[in-house]
Amino acid sequence: AVISSDDVTLVGGALQQTTVNEDTDVTVTCTADAEPVADLMWTGPQGEVNSGGQLQFDPILRADSGNYTCVASNNIKGQLRSNDVTLEVTVNYPASIDPIASVTVDEFDDVTLTCTADSNPEPSPDSFKWTSMDGTGIPGTLSNNGFTSTGNINDITYLQAGMYTCTASNGIGDAATAGTEVTVEYRPKFYPPPDPYPAAIGADVSMECSAFAVPDTITFTWSKNGTTLTNSSRFTLQSSGETSVLTITSVEEGDYGTYNCTAANDKGESTTTRALQPLGPPGKPTGLTVLSKNAEFVVEVTWTAGFNGGLDTTHTVQLKKEGSDQWMDVGRQQETVSQQRPTFDMSLNLKGQKAGDYQLRINASNDQGFALSDPVDLKLEGNKTLYGKITRDVDWNAALEDKTSPEFEEEARVWEGNLDKVFEHFIGYEGVSITEFSEGSIVGKFEAVVAQSESELAIAAFETQVTSGSVGDLTNVKADSSISQTKPETPDPSSDNTTIFIAVGVCAAVLVAIIVVVVVMVMRRKAAKTKKDPEHRMALAVRPTSITQLNGIANPGLDESPENAYAEVPSNGEAQALGANPYDDVNFERDEQTAATPAAAAGPVDPNVQYATVNKNKDNGPADPSTVYAQVNKPKKDQPTPIVDPSSEYATVDKSKKKKKDVPPPAEDPSAQYSEVKKGKKKDKKASPPPGPDVVYSEVKKDKKDKKDKKKPSPAKKPPVAKKPGKNEERLYDEVPQGAAGATGEENPYEDPADSMPKQKNPQGLIYAELSDFQVKPAKPPPKPVPPKPRYQDEPTEYASINWNASRRRAQEQSQSGSTTDDETPVTMI
């Protein structure tokens, strides 16, 4: 016989087995190979099932489990022949739990809960358990057969009363559950006591007492100082269910104090107290907390009021800067007398304050006084944006590239919610936003805003989540998730064009530089060629401060800048050919009283006078024997002191403000006459003229000699040469009342010829100027001239310094005396 179905195929012989799930359709077919044809019949646990070759279950149930036998029989030559096969059918079905009776116990009793399950196969041990109302499992055990579970609760309290649930599952279908109610009986318990009851003398007051219990039938009694209170003219007691109220009419002084309230049921009784007191100040506010803040200095705070003392109370939020003792009011909330310890939430706008460290506190006040909360610290500061990314190993969705797509918005909402869990406990946290999603698998970039002082802590909190492998509920790839205070650079699509523009600009700059170098080289070669032409060589003469045109022809080589102390003049004698003397009668002193530089016209050239010329180019051939050259004064360290005519009279001038300590005073020649100059104002104000603001006067003292010395003057000895003024020393000039322009004819505006001219000429014919009595100190020394650069590449720059005053006086003397010999016409250098 062959038995077959969707679930099993049997080939005749020994006992066969099959397992099917309950509520499924099952068909078993029995066939026999016989001649003549055999008759078939099925028998089961309940006897004969049917005649024929098929056994049908539509559907099969757990009661159909058992052995089924197929019998095949025929008749051969009048003898009955048969054969059979047996099939054991096992039906699996999900677990079910037998009903569980409710349980009632007294508080602090031990409780055992029992649960029995029916299933095939038996429930798994992990799923067969007891749980409380909040889903918390309770300890228990399983029976040996695995179909009974027990739960144990030791010292049960009234808080543990409620519904308990048994759960069982064997993996087929849904898990089975069944619950039971656990009732805990206990004596009355009071609700949290209220604040004291404040009342003024003569006022009415009601005090309340509430309790709960199981069973819930409660009896209340009131007492004071051991005396039970009953209804009277001034005391009224009312009880209903869980609450009892004691009312006192027209409170008297003796009514203040403590009252006892007792509640009782079948399980026992409990007592609590109520206090009656006069009106008073408020209690201390508690729980002051800074909930949040932002960079706009908007701060959210919360606190809980204390006892209001029976009066309306004002709660003032006060702010104080760290280091200051002055508190300022920044917010206010009102509490009515009917409110009992309310909790306040308030937003403070502190935009008018500067960033820094502060403290906050609450000042609760009423007509009877005030109470202060404990202060809390507050830091007003800017915010900090943190830039991060989270990489998740999940399938990429191309729709996330579009920030306006619903897929992007939904995914961003989920990610932002999980990032909130990381940063929301920072009071400076202002939110997070997903800026983009990119592929690989999914990379989400975000920006989170926190307070500056919290940025490092926020970064550490994120990195801790990343290290754990999950940011909130988002699993992440640790190596590719990060956060930083620096915004990542965004690639610029135009960067390639910018690089091209920069390269073009650099090339253009290099080309311009090459052109400039070529032009400079050409100009230098041209200048070198010009140098060889003697017609272009120029001599340098000392530049006077001011000079006019020569016969109406401008001097092209003259730089009118006062800083240029040298002027260029032609060296080929063109100035002499024009009949003008460019060197004579030049005033190079400024009028310090008017700050003007008077012009001096060049005088005519005396044909009988030889003038000094400067040979600037040393290599320009041999010197002309008919020309007297001025020697270039280039002082050197080893240069000897110039020789001075011992027969001359000199004016010794101290040109420095202060003499250096290491320079000894010059030795005096007893046979010489000197002019002594003293800088400083005269002490005798009546004898001196009114000083100008920038004038320093010097007093001239002449050494007196006896008559014998006057008749026979001894020759003057050579005095020490006066020291040239240093860089920071001042130079004194002769005071000229009207400047050089005021001089007429042959008059010398710098001296009185009668006083300064010696009685006899010295052998060399030198005339020296005598200092006038009063000299003018310039407001500011003229700047040191800067020599111009050499005009020729291989030519040194040298300048001749000529004593123009001495040259002018010499020329006047020669013009008057007619003496033009070479030995009486030296050039004096300074």
Short mmCIF file of all heavy atoms in Angstrom, two decimals, residues 166-189:
data_model
loop_
_atom_site.label_atom_id
_atom_site.label_comp_id
_atom_site.label_asym_id
_atom_site.label_seq_id
_atom_site.Cartn_x
_atom_site.Cartn_y
_atom_site.Cartn_z
N CYS A 166 0.51 36.49 32.33
CA CYS A 166 1.32 35.33 31.99
C CYS A 166 1.38 35.21 30.48
O CYS A 166 0.36 35.33 29.78
CB CYS A 166 0.72 34.05 32.58
SG CYS A 166 1.61 32.54 32.11
N THR A 167 2.57 34.94 29.95
CA THR A 167 2.77 34.84 28.50
C THR A 167 3.45 33.52 28.18
O THR A 167 4.39 33.10 28.88
CB THR A 167 3.63 36.01 27.98
OG1 THR A 167 3.02 37.25 28.34
CG2 THR A 167 3.81 35.95 26.48
N ALA A 168 2.98 32.85 27.07
CA ALA A 168 3.57 31.58 26.64
C ALA A 168 3.56 31.53 25.13
O ALA A 168 2.60 31.97 24.47
CB ALA A 168 2.81 30.40 27.22
N SER A 169 4.63 30.95 24.55
CA SER A 169 4.70 30.81 23.10
C SER A 169 5.63 29.65 22.76
O SER A 169 6.64 29.44 23.42
CB SER A 169 5.24 32.10 22.46
OG SER A 169 5.45 31.93 21.07
N ASN A 170 5.21 28.86 21.71
CA ASN A 170 6.05 27.76 21.22
C ASN A 170 6.51 28.01 19.79
O ASN A 170 7.01 27.10 19.14
CB ASN A 170 5.33 26.43 21.34
CG ASN A 170 4.09 26.39 20.46
OD1 ASN A 170 3.70 27.38 19.83
ND2 ASN A 170 3.42 25.23 20.42
N GLY A 171 6.31 29.21 19.29
CA GLY A 171 6.76 29.55 17.95
C GLY A 171 5.72 29.32 16.88
O GLY A 171 5.97 29.62 15.70
N ILE A 172 4.55 28.74 17.22
CA ILE A 172 3.48 28.52 16.24
C ILE A 172 2.38 29.52 16.53
O ILE A 172 1.82 29.54 17.64
CB ILE A 172 2.93 27.08 16.34
CG1 ILE A 172 4.05 26.07 16.07
CG2 ILE A 172 1.81 26.88 15.35
CD1 ILE A 172 3.62 24.63 16.28
N GLY A 173 2.13 30.35 15.57
CA GLY A 173 1.08 31.34 15.76
C GLY A 173 1.50 32.40 16.76
O GLY A 173 2.69 32.57 17.10
N ASP A 174 0.52 33.16 17.27
CA ASP A 174 0.78 34.22 18.23
C ASP A 174 0.97 33.67 19.63
O ASP A 174 0.47 32.59 19.96
CB ASP A 174 -0.38 35.22 18.23
CG ASP A 174 -0.54 35.92 16.88
OD1 ASP A 174 0.49 36.07 16.18
OD2 ASP A 174 -1.68 36.32 16.54
N ALA A 175 1.70 34.47 20.44
CA ALA A 175 1.91 34.07 21.82
C ALA A 175 0.60 34.16 22.59
O ALA A 175 -0.24 35.03 22.33
CB ALA A 175 2.97 34.96 22.46
N ALA A 176 0.42 33.30 23.54
CA ALA A 176 -0.79 33.30 24.36
C ALA A 176 -0.54 34.11 25.62
O ALA A 176 0.57 34.09 26.19
CB ALA A 176 -1.18 31.87 24.72
N THR A 177 -1.54 34.88 26.06
CA THR A 177 -1.46 35.66 27.30
C THR A 177 -2.72 35.46 28.12
O THR A 177 -3.81 35.24 27.58
CB THR A 177 -1.28 37.16 26.98
OG1 THR A 177 -2.40 37.61 26.23
CG2 THR A 177 0.02 37.43 26.23
N ALA A 178 -2.50 35.61 29.43
CA ALA A 178 -3.64 35.56 30.35
C ALA A 178 -3.25 36.37 31.57
O ALA A 178 -2.09 36.36 31.97
CB ALA A 178 -3.97 34.13 30.72
N GLY A 179 -4.19 37.09 32.16
CA GLY A 179 -3.89 37.97 33.27
C GLY A 179 -4.72 37.63 34.50
O GLY A 179 -5.75 36.97 34.42
N THR A 180 -4.24 38.15 35.63
CA THR A 180 -4.97 37.99 36.89
C THR A 180 -4.82 39.26 37.71
O THR A 180 -3.77 39.94 37.66
CB THR A 180 -4.44 36.80 37.69
OG1 THR A 180 -5.25 36.65 38.85
CG2 THR A 180 -3.00 36.97 38.08
N GLU A 181 -5.83 39.63 38.47
CA GLU A 181 -5.82 40.82 39.29
C GLU A 181 -5.35 40.46 40.69
O GLU A 181 -5.88 39.55 41.33
CB GLU A 181 -7.22 41.41 39.37
CG GLU A 181 -7.31 42.69 40.17
CD GLU A 181 -6.72 43.87 39.43
OE1 GLU A 181 -6.68 43.85 38.18
OE2 GLU A 181 -6.29 44.84 40.11
N VAL A 182 -4.36 41.22 41.16
CA VAL A 182 -3.84 41.03 42.51
C VAL A 182 -4.31 42.22 43.34
O VAL A 182 -3.98 43.37 43.03
CB VAL A 182 -2.30 40.93 42.51
CG1 VAL A 182 -1.79 40.83 43.95
CG2 VAL A 182 -1.85 39.73 41.71
N THR A 183 -5.09 41.93 44.37
CA THR A 183 -5.61 42.98 45.25
C THR A 183 -4.85 42.96 46.56
O THR A 183 -4.71 41.90 47.18
CB THR A 183 -7.11 42.78 45.50
OG1 THR A 183 -7.80 42.79 44.26
CG2 THR A 183 -7.65 43.85 46.42
N VAL A 184 -4.39 44.13 46.99
CA VAL A 184 -3.65 44.27 48.24
C VAL A 184 -4.51 45.13 49.17
O VAL A 184 -4.87 46.27 48.83
CB VAL A 184 -2.28 44.92 48.02
CG1 VAL A 184 -1.55 45.08 49.35
CG2 VAL A 184 -1.46 44.07 47.06
N GLU A 185 -4.85 44.61 50.30
CA GLU A 185 -5.63 45.36 51.28
C GLU A 185 -4.72 45.99 52.33
O GLU A 185 -3.75 45.35 52.77
CB GLU A 185 -6.65 44.45 51.96
CG GLU A 185 -7.68 43.87 51.00
CD GLU A 185 -8.74 43.01 51.69
OE1 GLU A 185 -8.45 42.52 52.82
OE2 GLU A 185 -9.82 42.79 51.10
N TYR A 186 -5.06 47.24 52.74
CA TYR A 186 -4.21 47.97 53.67
C TYR A 186 -5.04 49.02 54.41
O TYR A 186 -6.15 49.39 53.97
CB TYR A 186 -3.03 48.61 52.92
CG TYR A 186 -3.46 49.46 51.74
CD1 TYR A 186 -3.68 50.83 51.89
CD2 TYR A 186 -3.66 48.89 50.48
CE1 TYR A 186 -4.09 51.60 50.82
CE2 TYR A 186 -4.05 49.64 49.42
CZ TYR A 186 -4.26 51.01 49.57
OH TYR A 186 -4.68 51.77 48.51
N ARG A 187 -4.49 49.54 55.48
CA ARG A 187 -5.17 50.57 56.24
C ARG A 187 -5.06 51.92 55.52
O ARG A 187 -4.24 52.07 54.60
CB ARG A 187 -4.59 50.64 57.64
CG ARG A 187 -3.14 51.09 57.67
CD ARG A 187 -2.57 51.06 59.08
NE ARG A 187 -1.18 51.51 59.11
CZ ARG A 187 -0.50 51.62 60.24
NH1 ARG A 187 -1.07 51.29 61.42
NH2 ARG A 187 0.76 52.03 60.22
N PRO A 188 -5.82 52.95 55.93
CA PRO A 188 -5.82 54.24 55.21
C PRO A 188 -4.43 54.86 55.15
O PRO A 188 -3.64 54.80 56.09
CB PRO A 188 -6.79 55.08 56.04
CG PRO A 188 -7.69 54.10 56.69
CD PRO A 188 -6.82 52.92 57.02
N LYS A 189 -4.23 55.45 54.02
CA LYS A 189 -2.99 56.22 53.77
C LYS A 189 -3.41 57.62 53.33
O LYS A 189 -4.34 57.78 52.53
CB LYS A 189 -2.12 55.55 52.72
CG LYS A 189 -1.65 54.16 53.13
CD LYS A 189 -0.78 53.54 52.06
CE LYS A 189 -0.37 52.12 52.45
NZ LYS A 189 0.52 52.07 53.62
#
